């Protein structure tokens, strides 16, 4: 399998001039295309910081992060924005949908920023709404959607431009059990069908049990790296009510 993420000796300290907090400490990490991986650990273990470093949302104090051979730690701010636009999808705990846009417009946005052709956008977006079971909600604004529906739209937005990988920070934290299961079914199915790499930062057992690889962080360091038996096959007939 092809290595898509190769992080060497990365560290990150917050508040270095006042009360230093070493969030990530000399981490080495290699991830291959098509992985379905969970970063886990107690609060303050560094899992969200590590996810943000991999996604270029933050910059390490030391070390290098290569994505498809490109060292993102050496990119300028503008080059990094462009790189993220074309390679990385993000799913956040708080959904982060734009309230004045419809669900469809939220999903289209990244592809429009990429200057994709209108016909390609329409085809991709409609296919994704069919995949997430929300074809009848395309013209609905986020405030009129349930939490589970909003998070499924957020996943569709992340997947719309066919990124190399998707980073999901606590994507099920605000969802009930049924909505969380539906969301994980969708992501597992797309992981298998489109070979998109998924990396989760989570403490949710529902996500951890679906992951094929679980990386445990303690005090900013990798404490364990465990491969799971592949059990995250998507279930048929997920509900669209939540």
């Amino acid at each position: 399998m092809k290595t898509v993420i190769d992080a060497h000796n990365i560290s990150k300290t917050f508040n270095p001039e006042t009360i230093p907090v070493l969030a990530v400490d000399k981490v080495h990490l290699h991830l291959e295309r098509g992985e379905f991986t969970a970063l886990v650990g107690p609060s303050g273990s560094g899992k969200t910081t590590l996810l943000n470093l991999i996604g270029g949302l933050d910059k390490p104090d030391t070390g290098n992060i290569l994505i498809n051979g490109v060292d993102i730690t050496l990119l300028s701010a503008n080059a990094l924005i462009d790189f993220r636009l074309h390679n990385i999808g993000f799913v956040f705990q708080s959904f982060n949908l734009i309230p004045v846009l419809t669900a469809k417009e939220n999903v289209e946005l990244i592809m429009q920023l990429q200057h994709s052709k209108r016909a390609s956008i329409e085809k991709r977006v409609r296919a994704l709404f069919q995949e997430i079971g929300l074809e009848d909600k395309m013209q609905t604004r986020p405030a009129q959607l349930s939490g589970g529906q909003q998070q499924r739209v957020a996943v569709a937005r992340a997947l719309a431009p066919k990124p190399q990988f998707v980073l999901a920070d606590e994507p099920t934290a605000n969802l009930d059990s049924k909505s969380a299961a539906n969301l994980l079914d969708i992501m597992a199915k797309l992981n298998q069908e489109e070979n998109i790499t998924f990396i989760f930062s989570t403490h949710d057992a529902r996500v951890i049990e679906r992951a094929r690889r679980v990386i445990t962080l303690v005090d900013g360091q990798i404490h364990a790296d465990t491969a799971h038996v592949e059990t995250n096959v998507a279930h048929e007939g997920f509900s669209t009510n939540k």
Side-chain angles (χ1 to χ4, degrees):
M1 296 178 69
K2 181 182 177 183
T3 298
V4 292
I5 299 171
D6 200 359
H8 296 273
N9 198 40
I10 56 173
S11 297
K12 181 65 181 179
T13 299
F14 293 103
N15 307 318
E17 303 300 326
T18 54
I19 305 175
V21 176
L22 182 57
V24 172
D25 185 15
K26 300 182 179 66
V27 165
H28 298 268
L29 181 63
H30 307 279
L31 291 160
E32 295 180 337
R33 182 169 177 79
E35 288 205 41
F36 205 74
T37 296
L39 303 177
V40 305
S43 297
S45 62
K47 57 187 183 293
T48 295
T49 299
L50 180 56
L51 198 76
N52 289 341
L53 292 171
I54 292 170
L57 297 177
D58 213 336
K59 191 169 184 177
D61 300 321
T62 64
N64 303 89
I65 302 170
L66 281 73
I67 299 178
N68 289 334
V70 176
D71 189 343
I72 65 171
T73 65
L74 301 179
L75 297 178
S76 67
N78 287 338
L80 184 56
I81 290 170
D82 188 66
F83 185 85
R84 285 199 302 262
L85 178 65
H86 290 89
N87 292 277
I88 307 172
F90 294 94
V91 180
F92 301 98
Q93 178 179 342
S94 56
F95 315 141
N96 284 4
L97 299 177
I98 299 173
V100 298
L101 300 182
T102 65
K104 180 174 182 283
E105 289 167 341
N106 268 281
V107 175
E108 291 174 335
L109 184 60
I110 301 299
M111 294 186 73
Q112 290 172 342
L113 293 173
Q114 290 179 331
H115 305 293
S116 299
K117 293 182 179 179
R118 186 69 229 173
S120 297
I121 294 174
E122 285 289 334
K123 182 178 179 180
R124 177 65 172 168
V125 170
R126 288 189 177 278
L128 282 169
F129 270 93
Q130 182 176 12
E131 194 70 56
I132 66 173
L134 292 177
E135 290 175 282
D136 61 335
K137 303 292 185 181
M138 292 175 67
Q139 301 304 326
T140 304
R141 287 189 167 82
Q144 278 71 55
L145 298 173
S146 70
Q149 290 170 338
Q150 288 187 62
Q151 193 62 298
R152 280 148 64 185
V153 172
V155 169
R157 178 183 59 188
L159 293 169
K162 296 187 177 181
Q164 291 289 317
F165 60 96
V166 172
L167 304 179
D169 188 14
E170 301 283 6
T172 58
N174 294 323
L175 304 183
D176 59 53
S177 295
K178 193 172 186 179
S179 296
N182 290 343
L183 183 71
L184 290 167
D185 284 346
I186 293 165
M187 291 191 285
K189 186 171 185 283
L190 290 166
N191 165 254
Q192 292 163 0
E193 292 181 350
E194 299 193 16
N195 205 30
I196 295 172
T197 306
F198 281 81
I199 309 165
F200 303 89
S201 166
T202 187
H203 64 271
D204 189 337
R206 299 169 297 190
V207 178
I208 296 168
E209 70 181 9
R210 297 289 194 97
R212 293 195 296 272
R213 180 180 177 188
V214 176
I215 298 171
T216 304
L217 281 88
V218 177
D219 295 331
Q221 297 182 325
I222 293 178
H223 181 72
D225 189 344
T226 307
H228 279 190
V229 176
E230 187 169 337
T231 59
N232 64 321
V233 177
H235 303 294
E236 297 293 336
F238 57 81
S239 168
T240 60
N241 295 324
K242 294 291 183 182

